[in-house]
Amino acid sequence: MSLTRRTLLAAGGGGLLIAQVRSANAQAENAPKPATGNNALRIAMPAFASDPFFPADGSGDKGIDMELARGIAAELGVEPVFDRSAVTFDGMVKQLMSGQADMAIGKLSRTLQRGRSILYSRPYAMLHQGLLANRLNLARITQGKPPEQIIRDFSGDLGVIEGSSFATYAATTFPHAQIRRFAGWNTVVDAIRSGTIDMAYRDDFEIKKLMVDDPSMTVVARSITLTDKVDTIAIGVRPDNPHLAAFVDLYLDLARGQQVLNTDEIIARYRQGSKA
């Protein structure tokens, strides 16, 4: 039986449709994927704890950042693999730069210096910068004047954590201060207690959390919030994966409802966790 012109056109149209479907499938298979490597999302997170963001290495999987990391991995359909080898916040950034990690989630502050080397998501938490001052040293420095009048011209000893965003901010915010770098927050606090340094520089959440944990600190120290200085917390992404960075932003918008946590909300969660 001879084929009619209509039959030939129909057959040709069907062949074209099949070819288009095959082409679309091939493009989808070859399209860049947000996650890379062995169906896993490699996530850098510090070895130490920063409650309620993340626990110390080997101490469980609770916390704001742990929830974020597992949620993003689940939506990508991959397994989260945590690398807890970083001993500083800058250590996580170096892991992204070297390609050892796909993402860094660990109360990571955004800075212009880091932004030259890695990609950032939009912020999921926004804190104020703050100071913890030894009361006796502060009284000597201010000589009765309100601290706010002398704070920006401060020329005393200012403690910061080595490898933190505040070690970067300090030179610009307090250009006349003598910057003292410490390995960790506990040693900074000890230096405030003893009066070895005049003030410590960190975000207002960590300073308020310290007062919650140890009310006796109010006897020897005073907290000062820099209301015009913010510390934005975001997710770091390796610089060669803009698709993953865009997906993380989409996750924060759709799955998290564009929520940006503030200090009071994080302190409330910390108090609740400490009672559990």
Side-chain angles (χ1 to χ4, degrees):
M1 184 176 74
S2 62
L3 294 174
T4 65
R5 186 169 181 271
R6 180 178 297 176
T7 302
L8 287 171
L9 287 173
L16 178 61
L17 179 61
I18 292 171
Q20 289 174 335
V21 170
R22 286 175 177 170
S23 176
N25 288 339
Q27 290 177 0
E29 290 175 359
N30 295 327
K33 302 294 191 298
T36 59
N38 299 323
N39 202 38
L41 187 65
R42 298 169 302 164
I43 301 166
M45 186 175 284
F48 53 85
S50 183
D51 294 330
F53 288 91
F54 53 89
D57 186 19
S59 299
D61 59 359
K62 293 182 179 180
I64 294 167
D65 288 339
M66 280 290 186
E67 293 168 5
L68 274 175
R70 294 189 180 281
I72 292 169
E75 290 298 335
L76 287 170
V78 297
E79 287 296 319
V81 177
F82 292 93
D83 184 338
R84 303 297 304 271
S85 61
V87 295
T88 67
F89 295 102
D90 280 347
M92 291 191 293
V93 174
K94 290 177 181 177
Q95 287 177 294
L96 294 177
M97 293 168 60
S98 66
Q100 293 175 273
D102 302 310
M103 291 194 323
I105 307 181
K107 197 171 178 279
L108 184 65
S109 298
R110 299 192 307 171
T111 71
L112 293 175
Q113 183 175 344
R114 290 172 178 169
R116 289 157 51 185
S117 304
I118 65 170
L119 302 174
Y120 273 115
S121 73
R122 69 166 184 75
Y124 62 89
M126 186 171 294
L127 313 173
H128 284 292
Q129 296 181 17
L131 295 166
L132 182 68
N134 177 281
R135 284 189 178 274
L136 291 177
N137 291 5
L138 184 64
R140 171 179 51 80
I141 293 167
T142 58
Q143 296 182 351
K145 297 178 183 178
E148 293 76 12
Q149 290 184 10
I150 58 91
I151 213 72
R152 291 305 163 83
D153 292 324
F154 173 66
S155 59
D157 291 318
L158 182 70
V160 296
I161 301 172
E162 180 64 60
S164 71
S165 59
F166 290 89
T168 301
Y169 296 148
T172 301
T173 308
F174 301 101
H176 307 298
Q178 308 303 309
I179 309 302
R180 300 277 302 277
R181 298 169 184 268
F182 294 82
W185 182 231
N186 288 340
T187 52
V188 177
V189 173
D190 288 343
I192 287 290
R193 279 186 180 278
S194 66
T196 306
I197 60 174
D198 303 311
M199 293 197 291
Y201 188 30
R202 207 177 180 188
D203 64 74
D204 68 334
F205 163 70
E206 292 293 344
I207 293 171
K208 290 179 180 178
K209 184 174 81 170
L210 175 65
M211 300 302 190
V212 170
D213 289 341
D214 185 2
S216 70
M217 279 298 298
T218 59
V219 177
V220 296
R222 172 183 171 177
S223 65
I224 301 169
T225 298
L226 305 179
T227 56
D228 62 334
K229 294 286 185 179
V230 295
D231 181 31
T232 52
I233 308 300
I235 296 169
V237 179
R238 56 186 291 178
D240 61 347
N241 200 337
H243 190 180
L244 178 58
F247 183 87
V248 171
D249 272 343
L250 190 64
Y251 176 85
L252 293 173
D253 285 342
L254 300 184
R256 304 280 295 189
Q258 299 183 329
Q259 181 184 23
V260 179
L261 298 170
N262 60 39
T263 296
D264 290 341
E265 291 169 326
I266 300 169
I267 280 288
R269 174 158 177 166
Y270 179 71
R271 288 180 183 274
Q272 183 179 9
S274 63
K275 293 176 181 178

